[in-house]
Amino acid sequence: MQSILVRGARKGPGYASPLDAFNNGPREELLYVVCVRPNKNKQDYLATVDVDSKSATYGQVIHRTYTGVTGDELHHSGWNVCSSCHDNAALKRDLLIMPGLHSCNVYAVDVGTDPRKPRLHKVIDGSKMRSFNCSFPHTTHCLATGEIMISTMGDENENGKGDFVLIDSKTLEVTGTWTKGKNHAKFGYDFWYQPYHDVMISSEWGTPKYFKSGFHAEDISDPERYGTKLNVYKWSTRELQQVIDLGSEGCAPLEIRFLHDPKSAQGFVGCAVQANVYRFYKTAEGTWKADKVIDIPAKKVFKDGVESELNGLISDILLSLDDKYLYFSCWLHGDVYQYDISNPEHPKLISRVHLGGKVASEGLKILDKEELKNSEKPITVKGKILQGGPQMLQLSLDGKRLYVSSSLYSPWDKQVYPKMAEEGGWLVKLDVDTVNGGMKLDPDFLVDFGAEPDGPALPHEMRYPGGDCTSDIWLTDD
């Protein structure tokens, strides 16, 4: 049961607790979507999508905020401040922070002045990050200090290195790196902190200079190119204290989510390559451990006389704000899953929705009869065939609407789903039954990023102006 924080009247950004956001947060009206251009001669941008069902422009891109340069490869985004700063009345959530994987530029976008028309506020040149021997910035979280922390995946030469860059939220200057001590993570990707247990845990992808050229199956077994570990830091001292090796079944642990309850000592991480989900948790001895709790089996497929296996590739996971449901996407299989995690040790499958995937896009034949009916047919929404598969997820505060975008990483998009990269990606919506569980595709909602005025775009991560279940972290007073 989640602890409910009562801190009096709203003072600063965000919400007093996860359940405050879940029960009292407004229905989303705008969705900020990071968009990458498959044509590298064109600028990446932030798309503002109208998701107010009462609006005349519902389901449309109503504004585009361009970076001003090419070659960024925008990926994830975060905030200057969030609910971890809720008690600080002097702070305001008004800047969306967007790092570029390839350029290492960090873009601060003003979403406060006019939320419907965000504008570029400041550009932090990539040379600033590289000066601290960091590159490939990924996840942005705000800290209770008002600082901005961004995880990085490479050193200045794009070799594997897990680190974290700090940015002053007032001056927007890079002030250094967060990690102290002699030990550093071999690889980096995502992270989540939980001060109540004096812990921060980060995940791993691999070596940027290799994965940036595409997916190479031979790299998976190479410990110098792909990660398999969770890295456990002591939050108060910033030191790496424990490394949990998930082994080959946990190759490329990507998105990591603690339960939202700020007193929780457990969470989940999605491991991409073998399509497994691990539960991590604090033991009675005070150390941390991880167990595999969900295993999505490979699909046996057949094409041109050759039988092979197709792994799911879990690319994103998230938890509802009431910590009841876990959602994740399998980008290659084309499926979005909903699990009940009321008992976190034994997640229970509730619903699965199929949204394209490699089987449908390449005309593969599935040998498993049970899977056959779910996976071979292309999915059409409002007359458009969904090329590619489901990738990034964003859930409404009340848990009733799940938005799904299709782009993973443009070099991989072009390799795995060339038609999607050529035609542009998409954004769809699943309606969720929060009481009994269940998901259903909304046949009337589609944002077609192949119809953009300056050519196709590939939509990736999504944010709401007031925060959401993957950007906000809560603290507790006791």
Side-chain angles (χ1 to χ4, degrees):
M1 185 70 177
Q2 261 188 25
S3 54
I4 301 177
L5 309 186
V6 180
R7 299 185 177 188
R10 177 181 176 182
K11 298 176 181 179
Y15 304 91
S17 72
L19 290 181
D20 178 31
F22 180 77
N23 292 317
N24 305 315
R27 177 169 176 149
E28 68 281 1
E29 295 183 352
L30 297 174
L31 195 58
Y32 298 134
V33 185
V34 169
C35 293
V36 175
R37 308 304 296 279
N39 183 340
K40 292 307 174 184
N41 294 320
K42 296 187 176 183
Q43 300 173 25
D44 293 351
Y45 60 93
L46 180 71
T48 303
V49 177
D50 187 340
V51 290
D52 179 359
S53 59
K54 299 185 293 294
S55 171
T57 53
Y58 176 60
Q60 298 178 30
V61 177
I62 58 174
H63 187 75
R64 299 163 188 85
T65 309
Y66 292 90
T67 64
V69 300
T70 59
D72 281 310
E73 190 70 30
L74 296 179
H75 201 63
H76 284 209
S77 64
W79 300 103
N80 57 331
V81 296
C82 73
S83 292
S84 66
C85 305
H86 183 71
D87 276 354
N88 192 335
L91 299 178
K92 182 180 180 182
R93 188 202 310 253
D94 57 1
L95 296 176
L96 187 64
I97 309 300
M98 305 191 308
L101 291 182
H102 292 177
S103 68
C104 297
N105 292 345
V106 178
Y107 298 91
V109 178
D110 176 4
V111 298
T113 302
D114 185 350
R116 296 179 68 84
K117 296 180 179 180
R119 62 189 184 191
L120 194 59
H121 175 72
K122 183 175 180 177
V123 180
I124 303 172
D125 191 81
S127 62
K128 300 289 186 181
M129 188 169 295
R130 291 191 184 95
S131 71
F132 292 99
N133 195 28
C134 294
S135 68
F136 269 69
H138 188 267
T139 297
T140 300
H141 278 305
C142 76
L143 309 186
T145 58
E147 294 174 292
I148 300 163
M149 190 157 103
I150 304 178
S151 62
T152 58
M153 295 186 281
D155 64 12
E156 62 181 332
N157 297 314
E158 299 180 356
N159 298 301
K161 179 195 175 194
D163 213 334
F164 308 89
V165 169
L166 290 173
I167 297 174
D168 185 291
S169 63
K170 293 181 179 179
T171 64
L172 296 178
E173 294 293 332
V174 179
T175 60
T177 54
W178 179 82
T179 309
K180 296 184 182 300
K182 296 180 181 179
N183 297 324
H184 284 263
K186 188 172 184 177
F187 300 108
Y189 190 73
D190 195 20
F191 72 100
W192 197 281
Y193 61 88
Q194 204 80 320
Y196 186 81
H197 295 281
D198 198 18
V199 70
M200 187 267 280
I201 302 182
S202 68
S203 59
E204 302 184 334
W205 183 356
T207 302
K209 67 182 181 183
Y210 294 114
F211 70 64
K212 76 174 187 179
S213 65
F215 174 74
H216 308 290
E218 63 272 17
D219 289 348
I220 292 174
S221 59
D222 188 337
E224 299 303 316
R225 299 192 179 187
Y226 269 74
T228 60
K229 300 177 178 66
L230 299 182
N231 299 289
V232 183
Y233 295 81
K234 188 176 179 65
W235 182 245
S236 58
T237 64
R238 308 182 181 186
E239 295 174 295
L240 179 62
Q241 288 200 320
Q242 183 184 351
V243 176
I244 303 171
D245 191 347
L246 304 177
S248 60
E249 287 288 295
C251 186
L254 298 184
E255 311 301 338
I256 186 165
R257 317 291 189 197
F258 264 93
L259 267 64
H260 293 289
D261 177 356
K263 290 187 176 182
S264 177
Q266 62 183 317
F268 298 89
V269 62
C271 300
V273 174
Q274 299 295 335
N276 297 320
V277 176
Y278 280 73
R279 170 183 170 256
F280 59 87
Y281 55 96
K282 189 176 183 179
T283 68
E285 293 75 30
T287 59
W288 292 80
K289 190 177 179 181
D291 299 325
K292 185 172 68 171
V293 291
I294 299 172
D295 187 332
I296 303 300
K299 294 182 179 181
K300 294 182 179 180
V301 297
F302 187 83
K303 185 177 182 179
D304 298 332
V306 178
E307 181 180 329
S308 60
E309 290 191 340
L310 178 67
N311 284 322
L313 202 159
I314 292 180
S315 51
D316 193 17
I317 72 168
L318 57 76
L319 306 179
S320 60
L321 285 169
D322 60 351
D323 288 336
K324 181 179 180 180
Y325 294 116
L326 163 69
Y327 299 86
F328 61 85
S329 55
C330 283
W331 193 57
L332 294 183
H333 285 179
D335 297 321
V336 177
Y337 288 83
Q338 179 193 40
Y339 277 77
D340 186 322
I341 54 169
S342 300
N343 181 353
E345 294 182 42
H346 301 285
K348 179 182 178 182
L349 177 61
I350 300 296
S351 181
R352 177 175 69 157
V353 173
H354 185 65
L355 297 173
K358 199 164 176 64
V359 172
S361 68
E362 291 194 2
L364 303 178
K365 296 296 181 183
I366 291 185
L367 301 182
D368 187 322
K369 291 182 179 179
E370 218 23 67
E371 286 293 317
L372 185 62
K373 61 185 178 183
N374 293 316
S375 305
E376 284 196 320
K377 293 182 180 179
I379 304 300
T380 301
V381 180
K382 297 184 72 172
K384 178 182 174 64
I385 294 177
L386 300 184
Q387 302 291 345
Q391 212 287 91
M392 292 305 293
L393 309 173
Q394 191 52 265
L395 188 66
S396 61
L397 298 181
D398 62 9
K400 295 181 180 180
R401 292 163 300 282
L402 183 68
Y403 297 93
V404 186
S405 65
S406 61
S407 172
L408 190 148
Y409 174 48
S410 70
W412 289 32
D413 292 349
K414 292 176 179 179
Q415 175 187 1
V416 178
Y417 292 120
K419 199 164 185 180
M420 181 190 73
E422 180 183 344
E423 296 181 0
W426 42 264
L427 174 65
V428 298
K429 179 171 72 73
L430 304 181
D431 292 320
V432 180
D433 181 342
T434 57
V435 177
N436 304 305
M439 302 181 295
K440 185 178 180 182
L441 177 64
D442 181 350
D444 298 318
F445 182 92
L446 171 73
V447 184
D448 180 2
F449 285 91
E452 287 290 85
D454 192 35
L458 300 170
H460 192 69
E461 195 184 48
M462 299 160 279
R463 295 278 177 232
Y464 306 127
D468 48 68
C469 65
T470 56
S471 64
D472 280 36
I473 295 175
W474 281 267
L475 309 183
T476 181
D477 289 331
D478 56 1

